[in-house]
Amino acid sequence: MAKKSSAASASAPAPASASASAEPPNADAERLRLAGNDAFMTEDWERAASLYRESLSIDPASKNSAKVYSNLRAAEAELPDDENASIYWLACGANCCEADESDGYTLGNLREALRSATRAQQCRDVGIFGPDTDAGGSYGSLCKIVCEHYLTETNDSFILPQVCITDRGKSTTLELGNKIICRDFGRLIEEEQKRFADYQQEKDDTLFDEFEAEHGEAENQGVPSLTMLAIRSLHKAGYDYAKGERDPSSIILKAMQDQKS
């Protein structure tokens, strides 16, 4: 589980940026940002995070968006583990990649989002939430490709250039600045999804084999017939003439003998 910081250690929400080059904030997005700040100050972390996400979904490229992202990250740090925490972090990372340079997202922001997504994925309890259906999606692939492009870069503080996803008919390219970093992004996503599906199936098969080894081989009887359902009903009802019997002829014979006696 994620380590929780105390409420007293949570700092106040970051103030809005005064960058003159970015577009002025959308009125609805700004209203949601301010409401998120109010919720943050009262330590209502879930409401604050929800309001910040909604604000970013309306206006991800205003002069305040970098601060909203920072406040969202601080609020989410106070939340308990969530089954969707990984995809939330990957979405934040994808927003860093696709945002305009004036938003000020750095390579460090992207790497931190990717690390947080990985930690959330490792903490996710499959026994509680079931298989992760978000794995192998476009958000994670986009973040990983951009990070791998800067694999040898030691300076994480430089501003990320905007990523462009371009449909070229037969393929979809991923471009960073003026450089193509992935020539067929659509095919990559399909391969990632197939790889994850194969991994999940192999994992399920392994667990099933271990279960059979411990409890015996399962008998595949297919769809039960109407006769078999009737026999099961007699078993559940507790009739003596049906106990231990699976053959309908034997049950009928025993029932007739029981009536005669």
Side-chain angles (χ1 to χ4, degrees):
M1 299 294 286
K3 184 179 180 182
K4 298 284 291 173
S5 60
S6 65
S9 65
S11 59
S17 171
S19 172
S21 59
E23 293 293 325
N26 175 280
D28 290 336
E30 183 67 3
R31 175 179 56 79
L32 289 165
R33 182 187 72 81
L34 294 174
N37 286 353
D38 291 340
F40 193 107
M41 295 303 293
T42 59
E43 300 179 4
D44 189 347
W45 312 120
E46 187 169 350
R47 175 170 169 75
S50 176
L51 290 165
Y52 288 143
R53 290 190 202 104
E54 192 173 352
S55 175
L56 286 171
S57 70
I58 293 175
D59 190 0
S62 76
K63 65 180 183 180
N64 293 338
S65 60
K67 296 301 182 183
V68 178
Y69 171 76
S70 176
N71 295 345
L72 171 61
R73 185 172 57 191
E76 287 184 329
E78 300 296 329
L79 290 172
D81 292 333
D82 185 276
E83 63 169 311
N84 295 317
S86 177
I87 195 65
Y88 287 153
W89 278 114
L90 291 177
C92 286
N95 184 60
C96 289
C97 296
E98 297 182 82
D100 187 86
E101 291 182 38
S102 62
D103 290 328
Y105 293 131
T106 65
L107 177 60
N109 294 142
L110 174 59
R111 285 182 171 162
E112 183 176 355
L114 194 55
R115 282 194 295 267
S116 298
T118 302
R119 285 196 297 268
Q121 178 66 33
Q122 291 171 344
C123 292
R124 189 179 184 279
D125 193 334
V126 176
I128 296 175
F129 300 121
D132 185 2
T133 58
D134 293 316
S138 59
Y139 288 160
S141 299
L142 175 62
C143 295
K144 289 175 184 176
I145 289 174
V146 175
C147 278
E148 288 171 358
H149 180 73
Y150 294 112
L151 192 62
T152 58
E153 179 63 56
T154 56
N155 176 22
D156 279 2
S157 62
F158 70 85
I159 305 300
L160 283 170
Q162 186 177 22
V163 168
C164 294
I165 301 174
T166 307
D167 184 1
R168 298 183 179 275
K170 292 184 178 180
S171 65
T172 302
T173 60
L174 200 66
E175 302 172 20
L176 187 63
N178 296 322
K179 184 176 181 179
I180 296 178
I181 58 175
C182 182
R183 295 190 177 278
D184 197 342
F185 187 55
R187 183 171 64 83
L188 176 70
I189 300 302
E190 291 178 0
E191 290 177 352
E192 281 287 301
Q193 292 173 338
K194 184 179 184 303
R195 181 193 62 77
F196 175 75
D198 291 343
Y199 165 77
Q200 192 64 48
Q201 184 61 52
E202 181 181 353
K203 185 177 178 181
D204 291 344
D205 291 342
T206 301
L207 291 173
F208 186 73
D209 291 341
E210 292 175 353
F211 181 86
E212 285 195 335
E214 182 177 354
H215 300 285
E217 186 175 349
E219 181 180 354
N220 182 14
Q221 297 178 334
V223 179
S225 64
L226 182 59
T227 302
M228 183 57 67
L229 289 174
I231 292 173
R232 288 178 181 174
S233 297
L234 294 173
H235 288 166
K236 290 181 179 179
Y239 289 104
D240 292 335
Y241 55 78
K243 286 183 179 178
E245 294 289 350
R246 300 183 62 181
D247 179 39
S249 300
S250 299
I251 293 175
I252 293 172
L253 181 60
K254 285 186 177 182
M256 292 174 64
Q257 291 174 347
D258 187 53
Q259 285 183 346
K260 288 180 182 179
S261 61

